[in-house]
Amino acid sequence: MRASVTTTAAAVATALALLLTGCSGTGDGGDGNGRTELSFQSLAWQKESVDANRQLVKEWNETHPDIHVNYVQGSWDTVHDQLLTSFEGDEAPDVIHDASDDLADFAYGGYLADLRTLLPDRLTADIPQQSWRTTTFGDGVYGVPFLQEPRVLIANTKILKKSGVRIPTPGNPWSWTEFRQITKELTGKGRYGVAWPLKEPVSVTLNLGLSAGGRLFHPGADGKVTIRAGEGDHVVPGTIHDQVDIDHSAARTALGMGGSDTLPGFFGGKYAMVPLGFSYRQQVVEQAPEGFEWTVLPAPAGSGGLAQGVSPQTLSVSEASPHKKEAAQFIDFLLRPQNMVRLAKGDWMLPTGTAALADPALHTDKDGWSTGVAVAKALRPAPAQSVRGYPEWKDKVATPALQEYYSGAIGAEELRKRLVDDGNRVLARYQR
């Protein structure tokens, strides 16, 4: 989960100052005494995650006296603009922590190193091909996907048990039709069956849409992408719309909320379930009142099974770094299976590596870890993350259209027209 702290001018200035301090050196990445100096900008923000990253940097430095890594603290809120500024100013960190859906412009712009000849076979073989596709742009690989976060249902155990509804498992999940019916059964006086926090509705809609066979973005033989809406693309938005506007089993007030905003109502029994990113479990553990019982359920499935799109966290190397080989060696160290597990637990997310996913520490029912691991094999690249023009489509077309549709202001046909017709006009400008 990315931090949701309000960005201020002071925060941006501080982040840039830290970055420039961490990246300054002799100009060739050395300290003047023959020691290679690398800068690693981390976006870890939760205490457990920051501690894990800092400890791993310390362990590297203790065992690699000739290659010293300087830890630089970045922020999810400012990372794109801050990196762009640092790239253009030739002050980029050597090792860059980001997310795969933020890499396309940097990769196509020539700011990131192609990692294909830099990474060891151990690491490339350990991470599944579907994860590598999230960081492949054109013919190159521009990041190592290492942490991923499925969307799950976090549910009030007492309400589920009292209702008598069937409890889904990864092997036998609810269908989207069943899920809609279940939320009606869980709705009662002063309580909604579900709360959809859809302040940012696009990624939720597209990523969960893969489970119903939705795709929306279709690449052609010429490499150009067009938007087409099939039957599967309407399952998820149609379900959410009907829960809010027909069944009244989903809270209308939650539509404008972020994930954290729904937790007080969830703890108070106002919502029986909340679809959230896997890492929100940490907030539940830390904030739930004493005695509150909760469980983690898989998201509903459709013709695509449990498939859902993800944009993993990534580690990249700056194209301008004079020490790409050493930077890749540090990435390999960070992502050894036991270290990948430490990073995953610190962020309450799932590792991409097959060896790390097999670690017994993650195969526990406590806090829903085993449910997440079971879902991990169904995770796929987010449908549109490598599409040129997607950010504009998302901000100017899809976000307002979906918000109006979920609130009942427009119907399904108008939604389709805006997503597809208006969307293709946006993409056409980027694909001339």
Side-chain angles (χ1 to χ4, degrees):
M1 179 181 63
R2 299 187 183 187
S4 55
V5 182
T6 302
T7 304
T8 65
V12 174
T14 300
L16 286 172
L18 285 170
L19 176 62
L20 295 177
T21 301
C23 295
S24 60
T26 63
D28 62 355
D31 65 354
N33 296 311
R35 183 176 71 170
T36 298
E37 291 285 334
L38 296 176
S39 54
F40 164 44
Q41 178 171 301
S42 170
L43 301 181
W45 63 280
Q46 301 177 93
K47 184 180 184 304
E48 292 177 63
S49 182
V50 172
D51 290 347
N53 277 271
R54 286 187 175 275
Q55 180 60 32
L56 285 169
V57 169
K58 179 181 178 182
E59 292 173 15
W60 166 273
N61 287 334
E62 290 174 346
T63 55
H64 297 78
D66 295 333
I67 307 174
H68 184 265
V69 173
N70 297 292
Y71 181 95
V72 181
Q73 185 63 61
S75 168
W76 284 112
D77 290 322
T78 59
V79 65
H80 184 88
D81 291 341
Q82 173 259 309
L83 281 175
L84 185 59
T85 299
S86 68
F87 284 135
E88 293 179 345
D90 199 26
E91 292 286 356
D94 298 283
V95 179
I96 299 164
H97 181 191
D98 204 349
S100 62
D101 60 354
D102 193 41
L103 298 185
D105 288 344
F106 298 142
Y108 288 119
Y111 295 122
L112 300 178
D114 184 350
L115 301 177
R116 288 177 296 172
T117 62
L118 295 173
L119 300 176
D121 292 341
R122 177 207 69 78
L123 184 57
T124 56
D126 184 53
I127 296 175
Q129 188 58 41
Q130 68 258 26
S131 293
W132 284 116
R133 291 205 306 271
T134 67
T135 57
T136 299
F137 303 94
D139 295 327
V141 175
Y142 296 95
V144 183
F146 71 106
L147 292 181
Q148 55 191 347
E149 181 175 26
R151 191 164 291 270
V152 294
L153 299 172
I154 298 182
N156 184 312
T157 301
K158 288 184 177 179
I159 294 176
L160 288 182
K161 288 182 177 179
K162 186 175 180 179
S163 71
V165 300
R166 182 180 75 83
I167 306 300
T169 65
N172 189 18
W174 288 328
S175 67
W176 283 99
T177 300
E178 187 179 9
F179 174 60
R180 180 183 171 187
Q181 179 59 38
I182 293 294
T183 57
K184 287 195 288 187
E185 294 180 27
L186 295 177
T187 299
K189 186 176 180 181
R191 183 178 73 226
Y192 293 95
V194 66
W196 285 96
L198 293 175
K199 184 177 181 179
E200 297 182 1
V202 181
S203 62
V204 176
T205 305
L206 292 182
N207 289 342
L208 287 179
L210 290 182
S211 68
R215 187 76 202 177
L216 207 59
F217 291 85
H218 300 269
D222 59 358
K224 293 184 177 181
V225 177
T226 56
I227 303 174
R228 299 195 305 272
E231 184 177 340
D233 292 297
H234 187 67
V235 171
V236 171
T239 299
I240 297 172
H241 172 276
D242 291 349
Q243 287 173 322
V244 174
D245 294 294
I246 297 177
D247 306 335
H248 306 295
S249 61
R252 183 180 299 275
T253 54
L255 294 176
M257 294 182 180
S260 299
D261 301 328
T262 62
L263 292 181
F266 176 63
F267 297 146
K270 185 177 181 179
Y271 319 125
M273 295 183 291
V274 185
L276 293 171
F278 196 58
S279 65
Y280 277 90
R281 297 169 303 126
Q282 181 184 25
Q283 293 187 45
V284 175
V285 168
E286 294 177 346
Q287 299 174 19
E290 186 175 355
F292 182 80
E293 298 180 19
W294 58 283
T295 188
V296 176
L297 308 175
S303 62
L306 288 172
Q308 58 176 282
V310 291
S311 298
Q313 292 188 23
T314 58
L315 294 173
S316 300
V317 176
S318 171
E319 174 61 26
S321 172
H323 297 291
K324 297 182 182 66
K325 179 180 177 181
E326 292 83 354
Q329 289 174 349
F330 174 64
I331 290 176
D332 180 46
F333 168 80
L334 279 182
L335 303 185
R336 291 175 183 173
Q338 66 271 28
N339 293 343
M340 197 184 286
V341 172
R342 291 163 66 182
L343 292 171
K345 294 182 70 175
D347 247 336
W348 287 71
M349 297 176 72
L350 296 172
T352 58
T354 54
L357 269 174
D359 192 291
L362 303 182
H363 290 255
T364 172
D365 292 337
K366 181 175 171 56
D367 300 330
W369 279 104
S370 58
T371 298
V373 171
V375 171
K377 62 184 178 181
L379 300 180
R380 299 291 182 266
Q385 64 178 13
S386 62
V387 175
R388 304 301 297 272
Y390 169 72
E392 181 179 341
W393 175 83
K394 174 185 175 182
D395 293 341
K396 295 183 179 180
V397 176
T399 294
L402 285 168
Q403 287 174 337
E404 290 179 45
Y405 175 66
Y406 288 142
S407 69
I410 63 173
E413 181 55 33
E414 177 64 17
L415 174 68
R416 189 212 65 78
K417 179 178 180 296
R418 289 166 63 172
L419 293 181
V420 176
D421 297 348
D422 294 353
N424 279 322
R425 282 192 284 271
V426 170
L427 296 194
R429 294 202 306 273
Y430 291 83
Q431 300 182 127
R432 290 170 181 166

